[in-house]
Amino acid sequence: EVQLVESGGGLVQPGGSLRLSCAASGFTFSQYAMAWVRLAPGQGREWVSSINSGGNVVDYAEPVKGRFTIFRDNTKNTLYLHMNSLKPKDTAVYYCGKYQVATSTGTVEYWGQGTQVTVSS
């Protein structure tokens, strides 16, 4: 059974940093691309970032470019999202997802339960 468990969310002041983690199990983590998306109150799901299976190809949504970094540790079956210079508009529930293939050109077929990030003074 595929399981994705996010952690690391919380309350942070504007300009602060957080690192989200996504612990994966139930599949061969190193063979699949992964993604982060977020869902803010009253808004649709927004793709944030993707990373290929090997970790050497990454992509970011424009609003987070230069502030967020996606990376993965295939020895620990864990995906990360390091977030710097956080803004109130980054407030959302963040979800990690597993693609069907090794690259982020396919469909995300599984999602975790999400972790809340709140940016507020």
Side-chain angles (χ1 to χ4, degrees):
E1 177 188 4
V2 172
Q3 288 196 330
L4 301 170
V5 181
E6 300 94 336
S7 61
L11 174 64
V12 63
Q13 292 187 341
S17 299
L18 278 177
R19 177 175 291 186
L20 306 183
S21 299
C22 172
S25 62
F27 64 101
T28 306
F29 181 73
S30 61
Q31 294 183 357
Y32 296 91
M34 301 290 293
W36 287 99
V37 300
R38 63 188 181 186
L39 183 62
Q43 300 185 26
R45 182 177 290 182
E46 178 186 23
W47 169 76
V48 174
S49 182
S50 295
I51 186 168
N52 72 333
S53 60
N56 60 322
V57 179
V58 298
D59 199 9
Y60 299 95
E62 283 298 328
V64 308
K65 271 185 181 177
R67 299 188 298 122
F68 290 12
T69 302
I70 188 172
F71 60 103
R72 61 192 297 163
D73 186 337
N74 286 344
T75 67
K76 296 182 178 179
N77 293 344
T78 303
L79 174 72
Y80 301 95
L81 184 69
H82 190 80
M83 306 183 293
N84 288 327
S85 302
L86 283 162
K87 306 174 182 180
K89 62 178 63 178
D90 295 317
T91 295
V93 178
Y94 284 72
Y95 300 87
C96 72
K98 170 191 174 294
Y99 282 91
Q100 291 179 316
V101 294
T103 60
S104 59
T105 55
T107 302
V108 175
E109 58 179 352
Y110 291 100
W111 296 104
Q113 85 291 344
T115 186
Q116 176 71 48
V117 172
T118 302
V119 185
S120 175
S121 55

